[in-house]
């Protein structure tokens, strides 16, 4: 099941100047890579090339043996589970229906889900804590509840790699930690764009910094999150300390020149 | 509201309702014929047995009214499904098949033929053919105009369709004002409000084939509509290419709408109201909504046409007035009743 994800020299944009230029990353099988970077640095754009929403102008995306842009589109959707930003709810699906859509790439010719699909969806709803509101329409859910439904949908794809774009958006502290813990505990390869450097440092085993469309640093959290990187690319000052309770790296930020 | 009911039961109940409505509706008109007599006559024709009913009644049933009522079934199904497809394509529940300018294109075709050849010649195959051609050309133009760097953008689709529709509407009005033939003017007005009065077995047959041939693959592929309303990123992430899907849907909408408009004029409201009614009653999943929509559309048109024939009998009303008069109150009632569900923008 586990596969290495390789982003190899990807250049991509929306016509005109590329939003991401010559980006290369590797996520080890079962690894968790956090993609961090300031607003507009190209995180979401790069992630879009993984789920076939945006074709790279140059470069390759390879999962295990498969080039993600040459395998059939449905096969890509079985390999790559996605929680994207600014997702639309559609015409008011219930949470259960929305998660069942995650089974789409697995359905047969007639597009009717079977008992096996139902079981996968139930499990995904349970793991994300959505069972209690599974039959409510998305329009009646809070932002955080919807975000968890989207995570459940990505899990229902039963992917080999999970692509998460700001998975902690709208979530309360408990669910922020629970979501990242869940993503890490699945044992599948995870590539997540995160805004919180502190969460990235705690949950990711590797961090890559994207700035103005280029990968400017990549490696273990302690190696990447240096004061120089914070100042140059994030325009903040800060320090990385060790959590006295968990022993994990934590990031404290301050204003520059404070 | 009724989303929990099993789909096969819902479809069976609606199909029975459509069949019963056809039989009852064929009996309605200036000469009233009891449903049992209608059923016997229809049965005789379908099985090839000698009709056990009186020849005059049999003629009215089989030659005059059955093709018209059946045309209503397929036009209603086609327009309602076309509306549902457009709403999914543009991800907006206020979409309507006419938003793509197709009916305005068809009107120009029909008006050109009616005003130049005269009202009688247009009643033959030329009128519908010109209307279909007008719709098809308009569709093609909207399709080309809404493509940007290989992608079909929903917002551009609507803007191009609405803009072209306005232009073509102007052309229609101009042609209409220029003609001195009041008969032709009357006929064009009737055509623009929609009517099934031109029904014949051959037109009904063409319409039935187009609707049935398109509905079957659409029902299989209905889950793609679910993915499309998630937006382009969502559809891509779940294995459906949004641009290719929209292109195929565009062709389907063009064929369904073009055919319906060619044989019955621009019947309003069905394409907008029936899909929303289906969603309010049975939920947002297109695997349920699509077949439900087809059958509800058929019901709405069959009963609107019956009313169009009866309200001012022996003269007829354009059916567009009736679809508005019947469809809209029913829709508003359901809209108010279903306070729990949102309309789903």
């Amino acid at each position: 099941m586990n596969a290495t994800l390789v982003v190899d020299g990807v250049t991509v944009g929306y016509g005109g100047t590329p939003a991401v230029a010559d980006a290369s990353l590797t996520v080890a099988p079962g690894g968790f890579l956090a993609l961090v970077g300031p607003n507009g640095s190209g995180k979401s754009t790069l992630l879009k090339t993984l789920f076939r929403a945006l074709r790279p102008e140059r470069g390759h995306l390879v999962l295990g043996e498969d080039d993600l842009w040459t395998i059939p589109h449905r096969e890509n959707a079985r390999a790559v589970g996605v929680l994207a930003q600014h997702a639309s709810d559609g015409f008011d699906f219930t949470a259960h229906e929305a998660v069942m859509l995650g089974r789409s790439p697995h359905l047969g010719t007639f597009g009717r889900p079977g008992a096996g699909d139902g079981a996968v969806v139930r499990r995904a709803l349970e793991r994300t804590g959505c069972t209690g509101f599974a039959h409510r329409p998305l329009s009646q859910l809070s932002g955080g509840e919807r975000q968890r439904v989207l995570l459940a949908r990505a899990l229902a794809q039963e992917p080999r790699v999970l692509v998460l774009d700001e998975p902690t958006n709208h979530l309360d502290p408990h669910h922020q930690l629970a979501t990242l813990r869940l993503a890490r505990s699945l044992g599948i390869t995870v590539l997540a764009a995160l805004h919180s450097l502190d969460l990235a440092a705690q949950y990711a085993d590797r961090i890559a910094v994207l700035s103005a469309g280029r990968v400017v640093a990549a490696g273990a959290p302690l190696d990447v999150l240096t004061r120089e990187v914070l100042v140059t690319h994030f325009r903040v000052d800060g320090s990385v300390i060790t959590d006295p309770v968990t022993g994990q790296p934590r990031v404290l930020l301050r204003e520059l020149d404070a | 509201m009724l989303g929990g009911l099993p789909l096969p039961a819902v479809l069976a109940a609606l199909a029975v309702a459509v069949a019963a409505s056809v039989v009852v509706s064929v009996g309605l008109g200036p000469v009233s014929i009891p449903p049992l007599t209608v059923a016997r006559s229809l049965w005789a024709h379908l099985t090839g047995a000698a009709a056990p009913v009186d020849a005059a009644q049999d003629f009215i049933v089989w030659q005059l009214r059955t093709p018209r009522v059946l045309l209503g079934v397929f036009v209603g199904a086609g327009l309602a499904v076309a509306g549902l497809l457009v709403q999914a394509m543009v991800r907006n529940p206020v979409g309507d098949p006419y938003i793509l300018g197709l009916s305005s294109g068809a009107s120009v075709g029909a008006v050109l033929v009616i005003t130049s050849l005269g009202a009688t010649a247009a009643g033959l195959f030329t009128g519908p053919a010109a209307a279909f051609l007008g719709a098809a050309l308009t569709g093609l133009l909207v399709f080309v105009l809404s493509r940007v760097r290989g992608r079909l953008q929903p917002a551009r689709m609507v803007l191009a369709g609405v803009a072209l529709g306005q232009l073509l509407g102007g052309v229609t009005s101009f042609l209409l004002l220029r003609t001195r033939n009041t008969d032709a003017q009357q006929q064009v007005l009737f055509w623009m409000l929609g009517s099934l009065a031109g029904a014949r077995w051959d037109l009904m047959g063409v319409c039935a084939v187009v609707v049935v041939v398109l509905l079957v693959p659409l029902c299989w592929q209905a889950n793609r509509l679910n993915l499309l309303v998630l937006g382009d990123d969502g559809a891509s992430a779940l294995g459906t290419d949004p641009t290719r899907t929209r292109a195929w849907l565009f062709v389907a909408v063009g064929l369904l709408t073009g055919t319906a408009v060619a044989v019955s004029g621009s019947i309003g409201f069905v394409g907008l109201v029936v899909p929303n009614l289906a969603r309010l009653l049975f939920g947002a999943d297109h695997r349920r909504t699509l077949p439900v929509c087809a059958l509800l559309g058929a019901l709405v048109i069959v009963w609107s046409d019956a009313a169009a024939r009866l309200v001012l009998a022996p003269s007829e009303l354009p059916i567009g007035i009736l679809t508005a008069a019947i469809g809209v109150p029913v829709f508003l009632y359901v809209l108010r009743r279903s306070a729990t569900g949102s309309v789903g923008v």
Side-chain angles (χ1 to χ4, degrees), chain B residues 225-299:
Chain B
L225 299 171
N226 291 334
L227 300 182
L228 208 55
V229 295
L230 297 178
D232 286 14
D233 286 359
S236 293
L238 295 173
T240 287
D241 182 328
T243 292
R244 260 187 28 206
T245 307
R246 253 187 227 114
W248 282 113
L249 289 178
F250 200 104
V251 173
V253 169
L255 289 172
L256 286 172
T257 312
T259 308
V261 172
V263 296
S264 63
S266 354
I267 301 177
F269 298 97
V270 180
L272 170 67
V273 164
V274 171
N276 280 296
L277 188 64
R279 259 197 301 276
L280 284 168
L281 291 172
F282 298 100
D285 186 343
H286 288 83
R287 285 170 291 208
R288 274 199 304 268
T289 322
L290 197 137
V292 164
C293 212
L295 293 167
L296 278 180
L299 275 178

Side-chain angles (χ1 to χ4, degrees), chain A residues 183-250:
Chain A
R184 203 173 56 177
S185 70
L186 295 169
I188 60 176
T189 311
V190 179
L191 176 54
L194 290 173
H195 263 306
S196 164
L197 300 177
D198 187 38
L199 289 176
Q202 288 177 75
Y203 286 92
D205 43 51
R206 284 169 64 82
I207 291 183
V209 181
L210 203 60
S211 181
R214 294 188 174 270
V215 179
V216 292
L222 284 173
D223 300 333
V224 169
L225 296 176
T226 59
R227 186 151 178 265
E228 195 200 336
V229 164
L230 295 179
V231 172
T232 319
H233 298 293
F234 292 91
R235 295 191 295 158
V236 291
D237 200 347
S239 21
V240 179
I241 60 164
T242 303
D243 188 311
V245 178
T246 62
Q248 285 172 319
R250 303 293 303 264

Side-chain angles (χ1 to χ4, degrees), chain B residues 184-263:
Chain B
Q185 280 178 341
Q186 188 71 26
Q187 200 187 343
V188 168
L189 181 65
F190 219 80
W191 188 86
M192 283 166 67
L193 289 166
S195 169
L196 294 172
R200 296 193 315 258
W201 274 110
D202 51 0
L203 289 180
M204 196 290 292
V206 171
C207 188
V209 168
V210 170
V211 170
V212 171
V213 163
L214 286 169
L215 271 185
V216 171
L218 282 169
C219 281
W220 287 357
Q221 300 285 326
N223 194 44
R224 281 183 198 267
L225 299 171
N226 291 334
L227 300 182
L228 208 55
V229 295
L230 297 178
D232 286 14
D233 286 359
S236 293
L238 295 173
T240 287
D241 182 328
T243 292
R244 260 187 28 206
T245 307
R246 253 187 227 114
W248 282 113
L249 289 178
F250 200 104
V251 173
V253 169
L255 289 172
L256 286 172
T257 312
T259 308
V261 172
V263 296

Side-chain angles (χ1 to χ4, degrees), chain A residues 14 48 51-53 73-74 77 82 88 90-93 97 101 104 107 110-113 139-140 153 157, chain B residues 87 91-93 149 151 219-220 223 226-227 229-230 233 236-239 241 279 284 287-288 340 342 344:
Chain A
Y14 305 88
K48 282 184 186 189
F51 54 92
R52 302 268 284 241
H73 198 142
R74 268 164 63 91
V82 182
S88 152
F91 292 156
D92 214 15
F93 293 115
E97 286 172 332
L101 290 181
S104 300
L107 299 179
F110 295 98
R112 308 280 153 178
S139 60
Q140 292 179 17
R153 187 167 84 200
Q157 287 178 259
Chain B
Q87 288 167 10
R91 293 168 50 204
N92 194 322
R149 285 192 285 121
R151 286 179 170 240
C219 281
W220 287 357
N223 194 44
N226 291 334
L227 300 182
V229 295
L230 297 178
D233 286 359
S236 293
L238 295 173
D241 182 328
R279 259 197 301 276
R287 285 170 291 208
R288 274 199 304 268
T340 50
S342 94

